[in-house]
Amino acid sequence: MMAATETYPRRLIEVDLPIATVSEHARDGRSVHHGHITAIHIWWARKPLPSCRAAALAALLIDPLDPACPEAFKTSARDVLGQLYGTRVDGDDEGLRRGLLRLVSDFASWQRATDPAYRDAARTLASSAHASLFESGPSFLADPFCGGGSIPLEGLRLGAASYASDLNPVATLISKVTLEYVQRFGDKLFAAVGQWGARITQQAKQELQRFYPVVDGQMPVAYISFRRIQCEGPKCGADVVLTSKFHLSRRGERSIGLRLAGWDGPTPRFEIAEGNLRSFLGPTVRRGAATCLKCGYTIPVERVREQLSTRSGGAPSALLVAVALGGPSGERSFRAPTDEDRAALAAASNAVAELERTRSDDLPGEPLPPIGTLGFRVQRYGMVRWRDLFTPRQLLTLTTLARLVRESMPDDRTPNGLGVAVRSCLALAVDRLCDYQNTGCSWNPSGSALPHLFTRQALPIIWDYGEANPLASSSGSWTGAVEHVARGLRNAHVDTHGADVGMASASHHPLPTDCAHLLVTDPPYYDAIPYADLSDFFYVWLRRMLGADHPELFKTALVPREDEAIVNPIAGKDRDYYRRIMTAALAEARRVTRPDGIGVIIFAHKSTSGWEDLLAAMIAAGWIITASWPIDTENASRLHVRNSAVLGSSIHLVCRPREHRDGRLITDTVGDWRDILSALPKRITEWMPRLAREGIVGADAIFACIGPALELFSRYARVEKVSGAIVPLDEYLEQVWATVSREALAMIFNEAETAGLEEDARITAMWLWTLAGPGSSATSEGAEDEPIDDDGGGDDALAGFSLEYDAAQKIAQGLGARLEALDHIVEVKGETARLLAVAERTNHLFGGADAAPAPKRLSKKKQMTIFAELDHAAEEQGWSDVGAPKAGATTIDRVHQAMLLFASGRGEALKRFLVQEGVGQSPLFWKLVQSFSALYPSGSDEKRWVDGVLARKKGLGFG
């Protein structure tokens, strides 16, 4: 067999990374107060700076334990680390590796990243490593999916030359500001942005203050309105207000809210009142259907949509119900709307009508994406143009600010001059305002504040919305937007040369061949985020402000989509399209990377199909995957589904070009299928305990095993069986899943003690382990005062624990089982497999072997049904007062029976079940109870119940 690959000195990231510490810094680094450039402009799924910084530094450094590591680098590393930490790193190279990992760990923190001593040490070592491997000059880092610019910014911080590009013009503009203008102009830019921001504040106040009246000397901070439709009940015709809540502020047990005070003809009139939360009316909209406060008639969701569609979403005709006021201590008070408030709304409507007549191009009339686009719900309610997302007053505010930004610094129109930079920064401040100035922001009673729209990566329908006052000094104000952007600009200044930024498709890249020493990039995550569709929200305003300054970015009506790497069925982009585009993009990435260079590709997706397509693209594009590291970069509050396997980490896939030294792709190496399968278990067995020590478990750990597993497979141009048949990647990935499943189960249980456990217990344990993660809990995401997307789509979430069907099937296959034979514990619907909640198994466990599980939504009220089923079984089978239920057929059945007996308060029955029935005599029973106590999410019913059973163990004499 021919040599598999060309070999080069290993980089530090290929052998080790302090993932736990870097993850901690990454979580902290999400705060803009710790330097994250999110303050400049929102970009979806932007990676925290600490993880980017650590990955880039570890990829630049050389592993001192590698036999080919140059002595010059090791000498430099000992000197630099000794000066930094005050202790010379003598002795073997193992100690030197630990010292380098310590630097990577320390430099990931914001405090150390801005400390000149640590910054200079990191730059010196990166430069020394580069000089030891390559010619003179700085390292060159390329990022063809730059998004918000986090990765190339950290390349600049390390002293590398960086090239950043993106197909999306909004992302390109953000990166141009961050990586070019901030570095080029520095303090001069910051001062000019502050100066012109203040000028615009004064001018905007003169033009807009009549639309935001100050009543009785109190400045409004927000206006709260309800969309409304007309009641279709017999002989009614009243206005039906659409709202998810009537409370405005929650202060412990007391709340301020709205109470119905009467009717002005067909229109309800509300008063501000104080009381406990339950004293206010409940929502008028449930699952998209609306109930009339006057006659009680319920208008179905289809008619709600039709009525709002005739009103372009209903914002122009919404009912103003309350005005939030700012106080000196920051506390909010509220008043009812006045005639002055209503007159201001009418004046704004008239002003927009005049604007439409005279300067209609100032208004964003471009269309929204079609119905069915991922994350978009508003089109069904008549919001089909981008302007429909705003009230007339918001449109007037944004068009006024856009004009003032366009006219700022009129004497400096030099391409890429300071004037362009200042207008670009101020345009980003308008975008920040835009994120608050729209009808997708629902007033938050808990914080008495207005959240921004993109707290989620979606555009949901919001019935009751808050309208910020841009002239105030609170959320959604112009002065706040400018200050926020200015802070982000300062945090992005890294005291070095700037990067080059361009708008380019990653599939057809302008960089020359073999120019990059390091490629680090964060490509789109399959079907997770519709970047182009979402960014149109900002693009339509940016184009109106900066079209003359950046004609190359804003030459199309909407964001270009032709080569967007995404799965978006409504746009005709399926899995095959994604794999084809991603393969082309990653082949271009390999082309621009030197044969002796290194790549880091960041990916996070919960579906096996997403991973299979990304990995297939990497291998087809000619990359060898050498390592993978999970770093906790995802915000836990983003999880879409309760108890579902969503990655909390982004997996950093380390890779090398599969090329000869002259840059030609290696195409003639063949791997032996038997050898690879023989080596795979050892790789996984060595790897998973390391991950567990770092707190990496569940789906994160599964995908973190991809690197060491695929290094075996991807080093060859192809892998063949004895027959000569080529082994496809998906077949190998099935083997990886199976190996990981077996190893995980061995970690959960001591196989010597649990050889008798049935497959339903093994599957359940592995299933729960897959769902596990840092801080795993079963607390529902949907807090009462969060924005509610209640449009009637889909079912209420069932209890239980969900996995993508394909992932569940692979787990089962890896453990030698079939999901179809496990219908007593697993329910399959479409693309989702759900491990039934214990309570759903009540009939099966106590009603006989033929009883089918009955799914239930496990609110506290519905748990009464569970206990009623137990009561019925106890009476029918005669163990209500004496005796015990018959023990289930498998160990997990008996554990679940004990849990339900505890949950229903049947302490004596539980005792008889464990003692008289002999269930508690089985070591396997208690081993499974102990394991489930560790595996069930904290806060879940199952966790409380299994712990209750475990607490009875010693008291009943079972040791």
Side-chain angles (χ1 to χ4, degrees), residues 310-323:
T310 64
R311 307 179 183 193
S312 298
S317 60
L319 180 65
L320 179 63
V321 294
V323 179

Side-chain angles (χ1 to χ4, degrees), residues 703-900:
F703 291 117
C705 288
I706 285 173
L710 280 183
E711 194 274 334
L712 297 171
F713 187 89
S714 63
R715 67 172 67 175
Y716 302 103
R718 64 184 184 277
V719 175
E720 292 182 358
K721 297 180 179 179
V722 174
S723 64
I726 296 176
V727 180
L729 175 65
D730 55 359
E731 183 175 346
Y732 181 61
L733 288 176
E734 288 183 3
Q735 296 293 330
V736 174
W737 273 84
T739 306
V740 170
S741 296
R742 291 191 292 269
E743 180 61 27
L745 202 64
M747 290 171 58
I748 296 169
F749 301 122
N750 183 323
E751 287 296 315
E753 298 176 2
T754 58
L757 274 180
E758 303 86 349
E759 66 180 19
D760 54 359
R762 292 171 175 263
I763 287 291
T764 299
M766 182 61 192
W767 198 297
L768 294 173
W769 181 86
T770 303
L771 290 163
S776 175
S777 75
T779 304
S780 176
E781 171 197 9
E784 187 169 354
D785 50 2
E786 300 229 349
I788 295 178
D789 181 10
D790 185 15
D791 70 346
D795 295 328
D796 290 340
L798 287 170
F801 306 90
S802 297
L803 285 174
E804 184 207 17
Y805 171 77
D806 193 44
Q809 184 78 319
K810 283 181 168 61
I811 289 173
Q813 290 172 351
L815 299 177
R818 294 184 303 109
L819 285 185
E820 293 75 12
L822 297 168
D823 58 355
H824 58 293
I825 60 168
V826 175
E827 175 189 72
V828 176
K829 281 189 175 180
E831 297 300 315
T832 301
R834 189 173 63 88
L835 187 69
L836 297 175
V838 172
E840 295 179 73
R841 306 192 65 219
T842 304
N843 281 338
H844 176 83
L845 295 170
F846 295 97
D850 296 330
K856 293 179 176 62
R857 296 171 177 85
L858 298 181
S859 66
K860 292 186 182 296
K861 295 178 181 177
K862 300 213 174 182
Q863 285 190 18
M864 298 303 295
T865 307
I866 303 165
F867 303 147
E869 290 171 353
L870 276 174
D871 288 339
H872 178 72
E875 292 297 330
E876 287 288 315
Q877 298 166 20
W879 52 270
S880 179
D881 298 315
V882 296
K886 181 181 178 182
T890 66
T891 307
I892 194 174
D893 283 350
R894 296 188 284 274
V895 170
H896 284 173
Q897 285 176 303
M899 291 166 63
L900 289 171

